[in-house]
Amino acid sequence: MNLRQMEVFRAVMFAGGVNSAAALLHVSPPAVSKVLAQAAKASGLALFERVKGRLIPTPEAQRLYQDIEQLWQGVEKVRDTSRELARPTHASLRLVCSASLAPYLVSHAVAQLYERVPRLQCRVQVVAPDIINQTLVERSTHLGIALAPHEHPSLATVRSYQCGLACVMRSDHPLARKKVVKPSDLAGLRVISSPESVPFGQTLRRAFGASAAAMHRDFECTSSTTACWFAQAGVGVAVVDQVAIAGGLLAGLEVRPFQSAEKLPVEILRNRYRPMSVTEHAFVEEFDAAWRGMGERSA
């Protein structure tokens, strides 16, 4: 007897007849009768005798029913487990991300994920791109969300985005009166920069072009988020990736588009040899929604 035949046999035993079993299984009575005949043939047993229009189980059927009932408890457990895995209320998620992505995008995606998985066990680490790759290759984390990621043959891109640049300064800074800041507008100003030994520093060098020579670039930091803190303190103006200032989280800072064709890649990464869980797919959906929301707010 296969599992479907056992299910129908059990339903007839439990409900006491073909019509009642059909209602229980949401199928037609002829369909139940057909499967029941197949179950009798497969088992090699006479399972029922018809007495005055009623099906009466044989002693062999009664004995078989006891074992099938025990088996069915395991079947129901498998069904419950599959439902829980498809719509988990308990799950674990380990993330690593670039500093610019943590304050708004990753935090909002995680907050929305908790609405879907209320008992989620989540850990987030903010690290450099090389560490993102290392933890994914070692499988000590599930997903990496990287700004200007470093390629690795063992990693696959789940989702990719492009972000531009923005200029941030204190509200009392003269540039705050402009709608768009051009590289030439930064001439003679202290510009919080990034070392050219890192990818973001190279992006800024290309964005500034020939205007870089007229800027005071005597202060460097390695993260756009850190650059915003120092701009807030009045050290200078900063040109940062747009994701670092998403959501307007830093009070007292003015944000203006920076005129440049330069774009920075943002990618959600995974180990290509490790399939994603339902919870990981759900995080990607929430991150994607947060990204679209950021675009609407920026507009």
Side-chain angles (χ1 to χ4, degrees), residues 9 13 45-48 57-66:
F9 168 73
M13 291 290 290
L45 298 171
L47 298 175
F48 297 92
T58 64
E60 291 78 14
Q62 294 281 8
R63 176 67 182 84
L64 191 61
Y65 178 63
Q66 295 175 17

Side-chain angles (χ1 to χ4, degrees), residues 55-197:
L55 285 181
I56 306 298
T58 64
E60 291 78 14
Q62 294 281 8
R63 176 67 182 84
L64 191 61
Y65 178 63
Q66 295 175 17
D67 286 351
I68 289 179
E69 190 61 33
Q70 288 184 349
L71 171 66
W72 215 255
Q73 293 178 15
V75 172
E76 292 296 339
K77 184 177 180 181
V78 171
R79 287 177 173 170
D80 290 343
T81 300
S82 65
R83 291 189 195 103
E84 182 179 340
L85 290 172
R87 296 180 179 82
T89 56
H90 294 71
S92 64
L93 181 65
R94 297 190 300 275
L95 305 171
V96 289
C97 68
S98 300
S100 292
L101 299 164
Y104 180 81
L105 284 166
V106 173
S107 61
H108 277 65
V110 169
Q112 290 302 117
L113 186 60
Y114 269 106
E115 295 294 322
R116 298 168 64 168
V117 189
R119 301 295 296 277
L120 176 69
Q121 293 289 324
C122 186
R123 184 187 72 196
V124 179
Q125 292 176 281
V126 178
V127 297
D130 283 340
I131 305 300
I132 291 178
N133 287 5
Q134 179 184 334
T135 58
L136 288 169
V137 170
E138 293 173 350
R139 303 192 186 193
S140 59
T141 194
H142 297 143
L143 294 174
I145 310 93
L147 176 71
H150 297 175
E151 292 186 5
H152 193 284
S154 295
L155 302 185
T157 300
V158 180
R159 200 68 60 88
S160 62
Y161 310 86
Q162 293 285 325
C163 79
L165 299 173
C167 188
V168 295
M169 73 291 294
R170 285 167 57 119
S171 302
D172 56 0
H173 197 281
L175 286 182
R177 295 193 293 268
K178 290 184 171 290
K179 292 184 177 180
V180 177
V181 175
K182 303 187 296 292
S184 58
D185 294 330
L186 301 179
L189 300 177
R190 178 177 293 111
V191 178
I192 298 170
S193 192
S194 185
E196 292 190 7
S197 59

Side-chain angles (χ1 to χ4, degrees), residues 183-184 186-189 191 196 204-205 208-217:
S184 58
L186 301 179
L189 300 177
V191 178
E196 292 190 7
L204 289 182
R205 176 178 57 78
F208 293 154
S211 299
M215 303 175 194
H216 298 302
R217 299 172 64 198

